[in-house]
Amino acid sequence: MLASKRILLIIGGGIAAYKSLDLIRRLKERGASVTPVLTRAGAEFVTPLSVSALAGETVHTDLFDLTTEAEMGHIQLSRSADLVVVAPATADLMGKMAGGLANDLASTLLMATDTPVLLAPAMNVRMWQHAATQRNITTLKKDGIGFVGPNDGDMACGEFGPGRMAEPLEIVAAVEAALGDGPLKGRRILVTSGPTHEPIDPVRYIANRSSGAQGAAIGRALAALGAEVVFVTGPADVPPPEGVQVIRVESAADMQDAVDAALPVDAAVFAAAVADWRVATASQSKLKKSKGALPDLKLKENPDILAGVAQMKKGRPKLVVGFAAETDDVAANATAKRKRKGCDWIVANDVSPETGIMGGAENAVVLITGDGAEDWPRMTKHDVAKQLADRIAKALGPAL
Ligand code: C5P
């Protein structure tokens, strides 16, 4: 809920501006008030009338509008909100922000504000990938600016790739996380999720079964408690949570790199079903099938990502949580695994086919901590995630 939260929404010039109309509705439904600012380019895509009608407030459109300036100066406007949201955030607006330019109302507000800023970028793939845009993003992140999206997908310009603005509900989730006063506010938590794919050749791979449902639910539950979540996911069946930083990977080696890059974190939850082995030398071309001859696949052990982080000598997360998918002697095997890996907790579950847990909506887990084994009743993966997030919040305590 966003009851009595004040959002200053800057709508930049891009086709995704139409989604910002829905965003206004969604924010208001949750009790927020929305003060809209429409850039000159934004007004080419949505009309000031529709924006102000949906927001129920005057739309601010130009820095040198003397009437507005007399009613509410731009400095006052920039500080009137709990959060400034820019959606769509264009390459131009981000460039101005990174360079410290203030030559129209939107860029001036962004320079003058002392409240947190959340950007929902939207632009053509090539513009997103351009070195200048990427450089600006790095600068803005260093300046403490928050980001949601962009997503991969079909774009209005007919191209495909990163650059699509996050959906309104994803932006709402990021707003809630940014404004949330949950017990994990100020905490950065890493979650790994989904399977990894280990290539045999360009078309074949080795993988574990994993829908990614439990990992996604955990990412969502942690973000709902106010954590900044870095979600590293292999090719899962279910979509990643909204409003978190999503890093997509394929293989265990990619996952290891993404985890290393995400550190340091306050806590790390390893829910991914990482393949134990990879093919030592994956073929660059498709292996041909020939009668009676089997491919000579040499396997190599993958790095144990969880064990690596759990046994870090310096900068170890305060809390490291592993998972154990077992088919028998669940508690005993998981207790041994906790010791072997060096993690603080293990969330163990019985994945025998008759339990219907693998790929299903429910889970029955045993939480192994230093104090012993706790049997949790069978419940939805969503509820397991909520309970686990609550326990993590208790274990970490309030951020300093
Ligand atoms: O050894 P096992 O695969 O049963 O361990 C499961 C736990 O270890 C999970 O938390 C999983 O995410 C993590 N793991 C890992 N890297 C691996 C293998 C498992 O992080 N290579």
Side-chain angles (χ1 to χ4, degrees):
M1 283 305 283
L2 293 168
S4 72
K5 296 291 185 198
R6 292 159 309 159
I7 312 289
L8 183 69
L9 173 66
I10 298 176
I11 303 176
I15 185 66
Y18 79 92
K19 289 197 212 170
S20 301
L21 298 179
D22 191 32
L23 175 62
I24 297 176
R25 276 190 44 228
R26 304 286 184 178
L27 290 168
K28 290 197 53 133
E29 267 168 18
R30 286 161 178 77
S33 66
V34 178
T35 304
V37 174
L38 192 56
T39 65
R40 202 167 287 166
E44 301 289 333
F45 293 91
V46 289
T47 70
L49 187 60
S50 45
V51 172
S52 64
L54 281 165
E57 287 196 28
T58 316
V59 58
H60 302 269
T61 50
D62 202 284
L63 180 56
F64 303 108
D65 178 339
L66 290 178
T67 325
T68 322
E69 198 61 25
E71 283 164 9
M72 188 195 250
H74 63 275
I75 301 292
Q76 192 189 343
L77 184 60
S78 74
R79 310 223 174 127
S80 61
D82 297 303
L83 182 71
V84 179
V85 178
V86 188
T90 58
D92 177 66
L93 259 175
M94 295 200 305
K96 280 183 185 160
M97 285 177 77
L101 299 183
N103 60 355
D104 59 10
L105 179 59
S107 53
T108 306
L109 294 175
L110 287 161
M111 276 284 273
T113 192
D114 58 359
T115 47
V117 177
L118 177 71
L119 304 185
M123 67 196 70
N124 166 273
V125 183
R126 305 251 176 278
M127 290 176 76
W128 174 255
Q129 289 168 339
H130 195 282
T133 307
Q134 292 304 313
R135 206 165 47 234
N136 290 337
I137 291 165
T138 308
T139 303
L140 292 171
K141 283 189 176 165
K142 264 199 211 128
D143 291 347
I145 304 292
F147 281 82
V148 50
N151 297 336
D152 282 0
D154 286 321
M155 311 199 48
C157 53
E159 293 188 57
F160 182 90
R164 258 175 84 102
M165 188 168 89
E167 295 305 317
L169 285 181
E170 293 175 303
I171 301 176
V172 168
V175 169
E176 284 175 333
L179 288 174
D181 298 321
L184 287 173
K185 192 171 171 60
R187 296 295 194 183
R188 180 176 161 88
I189 304 188
L190 165 75
V191 178
T192 70
S193 184
T196 63
H197 285 182
E198 310 300 327
I200 295 173
D201 65 19
V203 295
R204 306 179 178 96
Y205 58 81
I206 299 174
N208 282 19
R209 278 185 208 284
S210 168
S211 65
Q214 187 64 81
I218 291 169
R220 199 169 287 121
L222 292 167
L225 295 188
E228 176 198 350
V229 174
V230 185
F231 190 77
V232 177
T233 177
D237 298 339
V238 303
E242 308 75 28
V244 308
Q245 188 188 346
V246 178
I247 300 166
R248 292 172 206 273
V249 297
E250 285 281 323
S251 65
D254 299 341
M255 186 170 275
Q256 172 85 72
D257 289 346
V259 165
D260 290 345
L263 297 173
V265 293
D266 295 294
V269 181
F270 292 86
V274 183
D276 291 302
W277 312 283
R278 67 177 180 280
V279 177
T281 335
S283 172
Q284 294 304 310
S285 50
K286 187 180 169 191
L287 297 176
K288 289 276 171 252
K289 207 165 36 172
S290 64
K291 231 185 161 109
L294 295 175
D296 179 24
L297 295 183
K298 293 226 166 24
L299 297 183
K300 247 187 130 169
E301 203 168 323
N302 269 330
D304 192 318
I305 308 169
L306 162 65
V309 172
Q311 293 167 29
M312 279 169 75
K313 295 271 178 289
K314 253 174 97 180
R316 181 192 190 272
K318 210 168 154 193
L319 184 70
V320 178
V321 183
F323 271 68
E326 304 286 347
T327 50
D328 39 34
D329 292 336
V330 177
N333 282 328
T335 304
K337 189 166 288 183
R338 176 179 167 275
K339 276 236 164 78
R340 202 166 57 241
K341 303 239 185 197
C343 54
D344 302 295
W345 300 350
I346 285 265
V347 180
N349 53 3
D350 186 344
V351 292
S352 315
E354 63 274 16
T355 62
I357 282 172
M358 194 97 85
E362 292 187 340
N363 207 349
V365 310
V366 185
L367 179 70
I368 315 282
T369 69
D371 299 330
E374 266 175 47
D375 264 306
W376 289 9
R378 193 174 169 116
M379 58 182 106
T380 62
K381 288 183 177 171
H382 171 75
D383 286 337
V384 168
K386 270 175 60 178
Q387 281 208 22
L388 186 66
D390 284 339
R391 287 291 287 263
I392 291 173
K394 268 204 199 100
L396 290 180
L400 294 176

